[in-house]
Amino acid sequence: MKIRYMFLAVVILIILISIFIVNIRHTQPVRGRIFIWIEPWMQNTTIPRWSLPGIIIVYYCNGDIMCLETLNNSLALIRYYLNISKPVFIALYPTYWTYRGGLSNPVYFNYSDLTYVVNSLKAIDPSGRGLIIGFSEQWGCLQSPICESTLVKTYRLLEEEFPDAEFYYYDCCINVNTMIRFAKEANITILGYDIYSYHYSKGVVYVNPSLLNDLSIVKKHGFTLIIGEIGFRVCDANAWYNPSQANPGIPIKINCTAPAVYLAEVLSQVSSLKPAYIGIWAWDDCCGFGISQNPLMVNVLKNYVENTTYYPSSS
């Protein structure tokens, strides 16, 4: 009889331990998947295995002249990464010669302009399986009712063409309620902001609290949260200042450790929001943002993905 009771006690103990382990696993912080933007005009496009690729498609080089060389480079990368079973983010850029955010003319967002891109993507996968497609930072368009309506229609038509794809949008500057309204009309499920707004205090970089609040609002509305871009000049102690600009307006202070520290701090601050995806600008870049040039930043990302404690020394 004692042996039976002892056996039952052992079984109960094993069950309780198993439940405890399962609960611990389910309460571990969920980390967003890191994807790294690849610029089509750069040559070295081998990103680390632990990251997802973000491929930029620029479809107009000058006026109505298509950027066929870089466009075909981008399409080749998409095919390559899908073939090795990697989900692929696709960023649709209407123009090469001017910043996309200021575009408010609906002519840049007509679905007909994407015919070559759509046909090429369908040749890779007819249903869009594994593709995560979207525009970003089109705040100029969203401030124009006609342009916004055109962009909504284009998203809807893309969704019809690629029923197995997912669709995202992120911005830098638009009001959160405006962006949410647009996303609902366009049937977008992945929504968020990029992060280029910081303040610096006593050696620590902090994400603008209003931006964190806007990201929280997006998530509360039921969207899958994306942080579209985090980027720093990769060897500048002042990388937090005007971080999206190659020429920030203050002297660049050469220091390759500081941006890695800033990146670790930002990832730590956004982790409480549990974003599904975190984009990094960029892998290779001609203007000082290519993290492939800074192994410390790459290590920060790798250890974030692996949930390993790592913090670069700021000394």
Side-chain angles (χ1 to χ4, degrees):
M1 184 68 69
K2 289 182 178 179
I3 293 175
R4 182 182 298 175
Y5 284 135
M6 288 178 63
F7 177 76
L8 287 173
V10 170
V11 169
I12 292 170
L13 181 61
I14 291 172
I15 292 171
L16 290 173
I17 291 173
S18 300
I19 292 172
F20 178 71
I21 291 173
V22 168
N23 285 337
I24 288 177
R25 286 177 178 173
H26 281 281
T27 55
Q28 291 287 333
V30 178
R31 300 208 162 199
R33 298 191 74 177
I34 295 291
F35 66 98
I36 303 177
W37 290 112
I38 299 171
E39 297 180 354
W41 40 86
M42 301 299 291
Q43 295 301 312
N44 186 359
T45 54
T46 304
I47 63 171
R49 292 183 178 182
W50 42 260
S51 61
L52 299 179
I55 311 298
I56 298 164
I57 288 182
V58 182
Y59 47 95
Y60 282 135
C61 278
N62 186 11
D64 59 355
I65 299 173
M66 299 200 77
C67 301
L68 287 179
E69 183 177 353
T70 56
L71 201 160
N72 287 330
N73 287 344
S74 297
L75 292 167
L77 285 171
I78 292 167
R79 182 184 295 276
Y80 168 76
Y81 282 112
L82 284 181
N83 284 341
I84 61 173
S85 301
K86 286 266 193 183
V88 178
F89 279 85
I90 296 176
L92 297 172
Y93 281 28
T95 63
Y96 176 80
W97 72 91
T98 188
Y99 169 53
R100 65 196 186 281
L103 300 175
S104 59
N105 190 328
V107 70
Y108 293 111
F109 304 99
N110 287 320
Y111 178 76
S112 59
D113 295 327
L114 291 169
T115 300
Y116 182 87
V117 174
V118 169
N119 291 340
S120 299
L121 290 175
K122 289 182 80 67
I124 297 172
D125 190 291
S127 68
R129 186 182 300 107
L131 300 181
I132 309 169
I133 305 170
F135 292 83
S136 61
E137 296 186 9
Q138 303 295 172
W139 46 267
C141 184
L142 297 194
Q143 291 174 340
S144 164
I146 296 175
C147 189
E148 179 184 357
S149 176
T150 302
L151 189 53
V152 166
K153 184 178 179 180
T154 292
Y155 264 104
R156 289 284 191 168
L157 291 170
L158 286 169
E159 290 157 6
E160 290 177 11
E161 290 289 344
F162 300 108
D164 291 335
E166 296 181 88
F167 291 87
Y168 74 87
Y169 180 81
Y170 66 85
D171 212 306
C172 60
C173 316
I174 201 74
N175 174 273
V176 66
N177 294 319
T178 299
M179 188 173 70
I180 288 171
R181 188 201 68 240
F182 161 73
K184 289 180 177 179
E185 291 176 359
N187 199 32
I188 295 165
T189 57
I190 304 173
L191 190 67
Y193 285 92
D194 50 26
I195 297 181
Y196 289 113
S197 180
Y198 306 104
H199 70 270
Y200 182 85
S201 177
K202 297 180 180 179
V204 179
V205 165
Y206 297 94
V207 180
N208 188 320
S210 65
L211 181 52
L212 292 175
N213 183 61
D214 285 347
L215 287 164
S216 178
I217 291 171
V218 168
K219 187 157 189 178
K220 287 177 182 177
H221 275 77
F223 293 95
T224 299
L225 185 63
I226 182 174
I227 294 173
E229 299 171 28
I230 299 174
F232 290 104
R233 295 180 296 279
V234 296
C235 282
D236 181 9
N238 294 322
W240 60 272
Y241 185 87
N242 279 346
S244 65
Q245 302 300 311
N247 298 308
I250 62 173
I252 289 176
K253 184 178 179 181
I254 300 299
N255 181 322
C256 296
T257 302
V261 173
Y262 303 157
L263 180 59
E265 289 168 347
V266 172
L267 289 171
S268 175
Q269 291 168 42
V270 301
S271 63
S272 62
L273 295 170
K274 294 183 171 60
Y277 301 105
I278 300 174
I280 302 299
W281 189 273
W283 182 244
D284 283 326
D285 179 82
C286 61
C287 303
F289 294 93
I291 64 166
S292 63
Q293 303 162 29
N294 188 335
L296 290 173
M297 297 181 78
V298 175
N299 283 338
V300 167
L301 294 170
K302 181 176 183 290
N303 285 276
Y304 176 85
V305 170
E306 295 175 351
N307 203 8
T308 303
T309 300
Y310 174 80
Y311 201 85
S313 172
S314 59
S315 59

